[in-house]
Amino acid sequence: MLSNMQVGTRKDIKTLAKQKRITVNDKLVQSAATHIDPKHDVVKVDGNQVEYLENITLMMHKPRGFLSSTKDPSGPTVMDLVPDDLALFDFSIAGRLDKDATGLLILTTDGKLVHDVISPNKDVYKTYDVITEKPVDNADALLKPMQLYDAHDRLYDVKTPQLIEVEGHFVRLAICEGKFHQVKRMFEAIGHKVKTLKRIKIHNLELDPKLAEGEVKVLNDDDIALLVKK
Ligand code: URA
């Protein structure tokens, strides 16, 4: 449990036990192999309680220039932005962003949560702020039936987006799919090039305005409830 919670490596935990620094329900533990019930037993290291989390979910404010990938030897990835004490968890990304896109990115160890956010059957809306090269005077065209190519060059029918705001070069819209370059390709289809793309919301969870680009925070159960459809 202690190594899963990233207190240290298995070897470190053995050393802590030998040094009599671990207690379970206030009794000293002699061996790192002691079995515990992580939901009920109180485990402390040096008197500080170590809470057992079944899963851990992070909100990241993704900056430009980082790949939404958990491993890519060819360049910087969003994992490079995860602080060391969290980086040992086995994160998956619940809905990638392009390398040049910014904004709300969710990293989680919870496979079901990933599925609930990205599954095409769930129709979870993701809201994007788009800045285009030219002013957008034909945004209504985004609401007309549209076919685009996905990452495998297969045509698909785009589900109608929600057009939230249009003001000159700025468009705020929400889409309920997450196909390859979808927002950029939707704008291309109506004759516009996207200059910047920022995701600001997934379902009801908004990007925390206090989170600077490149920063992450651990989400609590209330935050996670805003992310998934009931
Ligand atoms: N649409 C895009 O074109 N890129 C993203 O990163 C997300 C949505």
Side-chain angles (χ1 to χ4, degrees), residues 96-98 101 128 175 179 181-185 197:
R96 293 161 193 272
L97 284 171
D98 293 339
Y128 292 89
I175 60 170
K179 304 274 193 198
H181 298 329
Q182 184 170 339
V183 174
K184 290 175 185 162
R185 288 184 173 183
L197 179 65

Side-chain angles (χ1 to χ4, degrees), residues 86-148:
L86 295 169
L88 292 172
F89 288 100
D90 191 14
F91 287 113
S92 300
I93 299 169
R96 293 161 193 272
L97 284 171
D98 293 339
K99 188 174 177 185
D100 61 358
T102 64
L104 175 57
L105 193 74
I106 299 295
L107 297 128
T108 182
T109 58
D110 182 349
K112 182 175 181 309
L113 181 61
V114 175
H115 179 260
D116 286 347
V117 172
I118 70 173
S119 166
N121 306 324
K122 300 271 176 181
D123 281 352
V124 170
Y125 276 89
K126 292 106 189 166
T127 307
Y128 292 89
D129 281 355
V130 178
I131 295 181
T132 52
E133 284 193 345
K134 294 180 295 171
V136 182
D137 50 12
N138 59 338
D140 285 353
L142 292 166
L143 303 174
K144 304 245 165 74
M146 187 186 280
Q147 283 196 319
L148 292 176

